[in-house]
Amino acid sequence: METNPFIEDDQRVKNRPQACTVVIFGASGDLTHRKLVPAIYNLMVDGELPAGLKVIGFARREKSDEVFRKDLEVLNQKVSRSGHNAGLWEKFAGSISYHQGEFQDVTAYESLRTRLDAEAAAGGTPNRLFYLASAPEAFDDILLNLKASGLNDPIQGGWSRVIIEKPFGKNLPTAKHLNKVANEVFPERETYRIDHYLGKETAQNIMVLRFANAIFEPLWNNRCIEQVQITCAENLGMEGGRGGYYDNAGALRDMVQNHLLQLLSLIAMEPPTDLSADGVRDEKVKVLRSLRPLNGPEAVGASVVRAQYTAGTVQGTEVVGYRREDRVNPGSLTESYVALRIFIDTWRWAGVPFYIRMGKRLPKKTTEISIHFRRPPAVLFNAPAVAAGAADNVLVIRIQPNEGISLRMQSKMPGPSLRLEPVKMDFQYSTSFGKSSPEAYERLLLDAMAGDATLFARRDEVENAWTFVDSIEDAWHKSENPPKMAEYPAGSWGPKEADELLAQDGNAWRRL
Amino acid sequence: MTAPQEIPGLAELGKEVPIGDIDQELREFFATDETVTKASLLNLAVYSEQSDALATNPPIIRELTRENACRSLLVLSLHGPERSVRAWVEAHCHLTEAGAKAACSEQVSFLLIGGSPSLVRSMIFSNTDSDLPLVLWWQGEMSEVFEERLHARIDRLIFDSAQWATPTAPLFRLSASLKEGARFVPHDLSFTRGSALRACLAACFEDPRSLEALPQLDAIEIRHSPGQQGFMAALWLITWITHRLGWTLQGSASIQGTYLFRSNNGRTVEANLLSTPDSGPALVGLKTWGAGFVFEASLDDDQDYWKLLIQFDTLQQESLFPARSQTPCGLLGEILGRAGRNRSMIEALPRLRELLVSN
């Protein structure tokens, strides 16, 4: 038989993961303990894991399998979405083992290969999924040693894939270098660059909203849409030693280059010809290629605002300014906030500003996309006398928290006078579907096991995003007259310069 | 005939309201309290002629609405000398993940005495939430109430063939309705009881080696709990397996629960449905084997997981698969959670009838 006769019709539409050995590089790290292993555990609890799946943690510390499992169990008890069942964990833990080795030491990879080959020869899975969860500085070593040891070559009847965690480089040259190394070791179709935002249920729903409903797509263009805003607000600062990493990255590189430009692509893309990974990614990358470049400090200064927070109060707690945070350079020129006005030079979006803002120490944690529609002609109900204070129609896609979609529209206030007020229709995942959404990592791991790269970034997506971001970084850090660094008090909605950026177009940031 | 005062559960149904005020009363749930919000993805009508239905169904609905927001219409229809209709409204509220608001599902309960099919239809159709699908959960034997004017308007029909004294006749009736163009999708809870095992089999045969071994199967053994519930679940499972494989029924042995099939390559395969002495979940185990190949699924001690064993000669692979809840709420949730696309059961229905009449 060529196909599995027991797969029912409604199961054919979902990715079916294949049994594999997941080798996690950086197995001692936070990501492995807090996200990856709990995600695999939850998949097992939900019955989504293929039979025969194994997990091997690869890291430099000396550790036995038992100690490794115990470490993982301690964290799983705290963070697992589905709770922790000691009996189930024990069975799950039987599939986890530890492989000690230095990332630079090829013999550790050779012994790993010997082990995997022996397991495959004994009837175990021939499929291998390598997960680069280490510090990015180690990516080159890991990739090159995977090649040197032959682990990148699929053995008969199997496949060999790699998942690479962000950041995908620090700028275009480093991204190109990483892509070059990765593609020398694995073909692009087996390279999975993970952006966990794309695994979020609401991000996946953007395409469904646009292309499965007849009512939105006809309006999805510059004739009906006035502006689009993408906001990613965080109330956290540099807690837990984040300052060390963040001060070398900044808001633009840390969030905009990857997550927010990915969301922008989903919002602005043309309908793909099909739902294949490349069908979707071809359209997303066209959006990135169409971003109007911001070359030179004047263009950047006119469309981008960068800022750092000063001391203030966030949710009732007094906090220090950015430059006084732990592990942050007191003279730092790294932005904790960035606001951009972006234009997409395509037929569909000509003239529509896309405003993106991302900031630390803002009043609350939220990520939302809002589509602001043009107002109707100023006659009848929209005549100035009637519509004073009326608001435009806004479609809001809430990515996190409280995932959902809302639509603001005008309605007549009850009563004898003709008074219009905005009202909101609200769809919330939690109230409509009840069940909790799986963690983004769960979905993405399953997709990688199934060989579906739709929700992963392709090489050209990453490089085009860096091309856009690098021109801004260059204006900030390499020009002689860089745009100034603005300030905002912690706990506020950002610097006044960001408000002025929108005010130039007669717009304002949406209240969140 | 049961007197109203002897009907259990009426006091727990919420607020009793005049039939004409149901809509108004439902609106009032949400008009006064800003901490609650209405949630609904479908209309779930539950029809029963068993006198304790209004006591047993509300707890199921309360639990079900945690993950399947719906407007439920609970109908208890009893025989009686005089026609009477009573109604109650209630809301089942669950705190959302965000925690700020409770999402509430509406429940309307009806006690119909001395009613007719048209009264049942009228109570259901006049109280559905517009634009949402209508799912009818039929409890117990099929009666004359289940007629064309009712099933022409429903999207999905849930029933339990294990509750039928002789399933052949009502299954024939269902098949006939579907042939005549009825558009509802039927769901038998007895079929759903096997969904975890079906998924186990599907997972097992994702492995190319297992797939290769499939045409060489010699035998299938399904162990089930005693009684009609276990037997119907096992019968559905063997129906589904052989239907998916395209095997034909050769005949049944003189022993109850033993069937002979001819596989596509002309082999004769024996299938045995074995009743275990212990009561418990409807399905307890599945084993199938051929030359050098064994697939076995058995419930673990806590009955939370299926333990899967795949064996090729000396190579052995074990894994776990969630057993899925076998409570009415769990079974309903399973059906509702799979939307309406799965036509596996409808496609296999003629084979089930074939097996039922052969043994």
Side-chain angles (χ1 to χ4, degrees):
Chain A
M1 283 195 179
E2 289 179 359
T3 56
N4 183 347
F6 297 123
I7 299 291
E8 296 182 353
D9 299 345
D10 61 343
Q11 301 299 304
R12 290 190 194 283
V13 296
K14 87 177 191 187
N15 286 329
R16 300 204 301 279
Q18 293 176 281
C20 60
T21 302
V22 183
V23 181
I24 305 175
F25 292 93
S28 305
D30 219 32
L31 181 67
T32 304
H33 285 68
R34 286 186 177 277
K35 293 287 182 189
L36 301 183
V37 171
I40 299 171
Y41 170 79
N42 282 318
L43 289 170
M44 194 258 318
V45 171
D46 289 347
E48 299 285 358
L49 278 191
L53 183 118
K54 303 243 183 244
V55 178
I56 296 179
F58 186 116
R60 56 176 73 94
R61 289 180 206 160
E62 281 287 353
K63 207 180 272 190
S64 66
D65 289 347
E66 286 67 34
V67 171
F68 181 52
R69 290 171 188 155
K70 193 69 205 168
D71 289 349
L72 294 172
E73 184 180 10
V74 170
L75 253 293
N76 195 65
Q77 286 169 339
K78 292 180 185 164
V79 302
S80 164
R81 172 178 64 85
S82 61
H84 182 87
N85 176 313
L88 278 181
W89 174 267
E90 195 182 324
K91 288 164 187 160
F92 172 63
S95 63
I96 301 176
S97 55
Y98 186 75
H99 191 89
Q100 191 273 328
E102 295 285 341
F103 294 143
Q104 301 83 355
D105 178 12
V106 72
T107 59
Y109 296 77
E110 287 164 351
S111 61
L112 176 66
R113 181 183 173 174
T114 305
R115 177 178 174 178
L116 293 176
D117 285 353
E119 285 175 7
T125 172
N127 302 323
R128 294 153 184 186
L129 180 60
F130 300 102
Y131 199 118
L132 273 52
S134 64
E137 297 75 41
F139 287 177
D140 275 13
D141 285 333
I142 297 169
L143 287 164
L144 293 172
N145 280 327
L146 284 171
K147 185 178 184 184
S149 60
L151 278 165
N152 59 328
D153 290 328
I155 59 173
Q156 194 174 12
W159 45 256
S160 202
R161 290 182 189 138
V162 66
I163 299 180
I164 303 175
E165 262 293 336
K166 74 157 199 168
F168 315 123
K170 290 188 282 193
N171 48 34
L172 181 60
T174 54
K176 278 187 165 173
H177 170 79
L178 176 61
N179 284 335
K180 179 171 170 286
V181 173
N183 286 166
E184 280 170 6
V185 180
F186 293 93
E188 178 63 24
R189 69 174 181 282
E190 304 291 17
T191 306
Y192 292 71
R193 296 171 192 84
I194 199 163
D195 183 333
H196 72 270
Y197 257 58
L198 294 182
K200 289 181 183 293
E201 207 66 54
T202 342
Q204 295 171 47
N205 202 29
I206 292 174
M207 275 208 296
V208 176
L209 175 83
R210 289 189 55 195
F211 304 129
N213 295 292
I215 55 173
F216 296 117
E217 197 51 25
L219 310 178
W220 214 259
N221 54 53
N222 57 4
R223 289 186 299 283
C224 298
I225 292 176
E226 174 86 37
Q227 51 154 325
V228 176
Q229 296 185 12
I230 302 177
T231 298
C232 175
E234 293 185 8
N235 50 12
L236 291 178
M238 301 295 125
E239 295 88 339
R242 285 195 192 96
Y245 159 74
Y246 197 86
D247 203 36
N248 284 312
L252 187 65
R253 285 181 176 145
D254 185 50
M255 291 296 294
V256 177
Q257 183 274 335
N258 38 62
H259 305 321
L260 302 189
L261 287 183
Q262 284 287 343
L263 293 180
L264 173 86
S265 306
L266 288 169
I267 289 293
M269 67 191 265
E270 294 297 320
T273 49
D274 56 42
L275 292 176
S276 66
D278 280 335
V280 173
R281 296 189 298 183
D282 284 347
E283 297 305 331
K284 281 166 60 195
V285 82
K286 282 184 198 167
V287 174
L288 297 171
R289 282 201 203 108
S290 307
L291 298 180
R292 186 181 298 170
L294 296 170
N295 291 326
E298 283 182 7
V300 169
S303 292
V304 184
V305 173
R306 59 172 173 162
Q308 290 177 336
Y309 58 82
T310 54
T313 305
V314 179
Q315 295 190 323
T317 304
E318 289 190 7
V319 296
V320 299
Y322 177 71
R323 292 184 181 187
R324 291 189 57 198
E325 291 274 19
D326 181 31
R327 302 189 199 185
V328 170
N329 178 356
S332 172
L333 285 175
T334 300
E335 76 287 357
S336 63
Y337 176 100
V338 64
L340 304 94
R341 174 175 48 207
I342 295 175
F343 287 96
I344 300 171
D345 288 331
T346 60
W347 189 271
R348 184 190 286 260
W349 295 115
V352 178
F354 284 71
Y355 303 110
I356 294 181
R357 61 176 159 167
M358 189 283 143
K360 295 276 189 186
R361 287 279 190 239
L362 298 185
K364 60 181 173 184
K365 177 178 171 64
T366 185
T367 301
E368 296 192 3
I369 302 165
S370 54
I371 317 293
H372 300 246
F373 291 90
R374 293 188 189 281
R375 292 192 180 186
V379 293
L380 302 176
F381 299 113
N382 290 288
V386 181
D392 45 2
N393 296 132
V394 181
L395 179 72
V396 176
I397 302 166
R398 292 187 302 273
I399 305 291
Q400 65 175 18
N402 196 18
E403 293 94 331
I405 295 169
S406 67
L407 179 63
R408 186 172 72 183
M409 63 181 97
Q410 293 293 95
S411 181
K412 178 185 172 298
M413 286 262 297
S417 62
L418 183 57
R419 186 174 155 200
L420 305 188
E421 284 293 327
V423 292
K424 197 160 81 168
M425 287 201 320
D426 203 2
F427 152 65
Q428 298 182 38
Y429 269 82
S430 57
T431 57
S432 289
F433 294 111
K435 64 181 89 174
S436 59
S437 301
E439 288 278 328
Y441 277 101
E442 295 174 27
R443 165 68 195 258
L444 295 171
L445 278 164
L446 275 187
D447 281 2
M449 290 176 202
D452 182 351
T454 309
L455 300 179
F456 294 82
R458 203 168 59 184
R459 176 180 185 153
D460 50 353
E461 283 182 87
V462 171
E463 293 180 4
N464 277 288
W466 274 122
T467 301
F468 180 75
V469 163
D470 270 6
S471 63
I472 300 170
E473 291 282 349
D474 287 350
W476 285 347
H477 301 293
K478 293 183 181 169
S479 68
E480 289 178 356
N481 54 339
K484 70 166 191 167
M485 176 75 75
E487 291 183 340
Y488 62 102
S492 71
W493 273 112
K496 63 177 173 37
E497 288 84 348
D499 298 340
E500 289 163 4
L501 180 71
L502 271 69
Q504 292 165 10
D505 307 328
N507 294 323
W509 292 109
R510 201 170 67 85
R511 185 181 300 114
L512 293 165
Chain B
M1 194 175 74
T2 313
Q5 63 272 21
E6 294 167 6
I7 298 168
L10 300 188
E12 314 296 324
L13 292 175
K15 181 180 179 185
E16 183 163 6
V17 297
I19 296 296
D21 291 354
I22 291 173
D23 256 0
Q24 171 66 25
E25 293 289 343
L26 288 174
R27 276 198 296 275
E28 281 186 13
F29 276 129
F30 306 101
T32 51
D33 189 348
E34 289 193 347
T35 63
V36 299
T37 183
K38 181 179 137 183
S40 188
L41 286 174
L42 54 98
N43 295 289
L44 176 64
V46 184
Y47 178 81
S48 177
E49 295 173 9
Q50 295 151 2
S51 61
D52 63 348
L54 291 179
T56 56
N57 284 324
I60 297 172
I61 299 298
R62 164 165 283 280
E63 188 57 30
L64 183 75
T65 52
R66 284 185 191 282
E67 294 205 348
N68 295 276
C70 61
R71 175 181 283 189
S72 55
L73 306 168
L74 311 185
V75 181
L76 169 58
S77 179
L78 298 174
H79 294 292
E82 287 182 23
R83 187 172 180 272
S84 78
V85 182
R86 292 169 70 186
W88 293 259
V89 294
E90 173 68 295
H92 298 299
C93 298
H94 308 284
L95 208 57
T96 61
E97 268 190 344
K101 276 196 170 190
C104 300
S105 288
E106 302 157 320
Q107 175 186 291
V108 188
S109 311
F110 298 98
L111 173 60
L112 315 180
I113 297 180
S116 61
S118 68
L119 178 64
V120 175
R121 277 201 315 267
S122 141
M123 285 301 101
I124 293 176
F125 293 161
S126 59
N127 289 287
T128 51
D129 207 345
S130 59
D131 294 320
L132 294 177
L134 172 57
V135 179
L136 173 60
W137 179 15
W138 187 278
Q139 298 181 335
E141 296 282 356
M142 281 286 179
S143 67
E144 76 280 0
V145 171
F146 187 77
E147 42 75 64
E148 192 271 337
R149 299 286 298 280
L150 175 66
H151 68 60
R153 295 286 171 201
I154 61 175
D155 297 283
R156 301 167 79 178
L157 172 71
I158 300 172
F159 57 92
D160 188 357
S161 60
Q163 292 183 333
W164 298 341
T166 50
T168 318
L171 283 171
F172 181 80
R173 198 169 146 195
L174 277 180
S175 297
S177 302
L178 292 166
K179 269 187 190 160
E180 285 161 13
R183 62 188 184 96
F184 63 83
V185 180
H187 301 272
D188 187 346
L189 295 182
S190 291
F191 181 74
T192 309
R193 289 186 180 97
S195 65
L197 267 178
R198 297 200 308 272
C200 286
L201 267 174
C204 167
F205 290 97
E206 280 294 87
D207 184 328
R209 286 168 304 183
S210 309
L211 202 56
E212 207 172 299
L214 196 50
Q216 306 306 319
L217 287 186
D218 290 326
I220 301 173
E221 192 178 277
I222 298 172
R223 285 178 293 126
H224 61 84
S225 61
Q228 185 78 340
Q229 196 172 88
F231 177 73
M232 281 308 296
L235 196 67
W236 257 124
L237 188 58
I238 195 63
T239 295
W240 177 81
I241 291 171
T242 56
H243 173 74
R244 302 295 293 191
L245 291 170
W247 294 355
T248 51
L249 179 67
Q250 268 190 324
S252 55
S254 54
I255 311 162
Q256 170 84 14
T258 297
Y259 303 90
L260 298 173
F261 294 94
R262 178 174 291 277
S263 72
N264 295 334
N265 56 4
R267 294 161 68 89
T268 297
V269 184
E270 184 174 305
N272 284 294
L273 313 187
L274 305 173
S275 175
T276 58
D278 308 319
S279 59
L283 294 168
V284 188
L286 168 67
K287 186 175 178 181
T288 181
W289 63 91
F293 169 78
V294 178
F295 166 76
E296 188 169 9
S298 53
L299 274 177
D300 72 355
D301 296 340
D302 299 332
Q303 301 180 344
D304 288 336
Y305 278 78
W306 286 99
K307 287 188 289 192
L308 307 190
L309 172 74
I310 304 171
Q311 195 173 340
F312 289 96
D313 297 320
T314 56
L315 170 67
Q316 196 167 300
Q317 190 178 72
E318 287 184 36
S319 55
L320 290 174
F321 204 90
R324 299 181 189 174
S325 169
Q326 296 283 298
T327 63
C329 174
L331 295 170
L332 246 65
E334 165 95 23
I335 291 169
L336 300 179
R338 291 184 74 167
R341 291 189 301 262
N342 190 355
R343 296 184 59 82
S344 306
M345 204 199 91
I346 300 184
E347 287 164 4
L349 202 51
R351 166 61 53 82
L352 180 77
R353 288 177 40 227
E354 203 181 359
L355 295 188
L356 276 168
V357 297
S358 76
N359 204 313

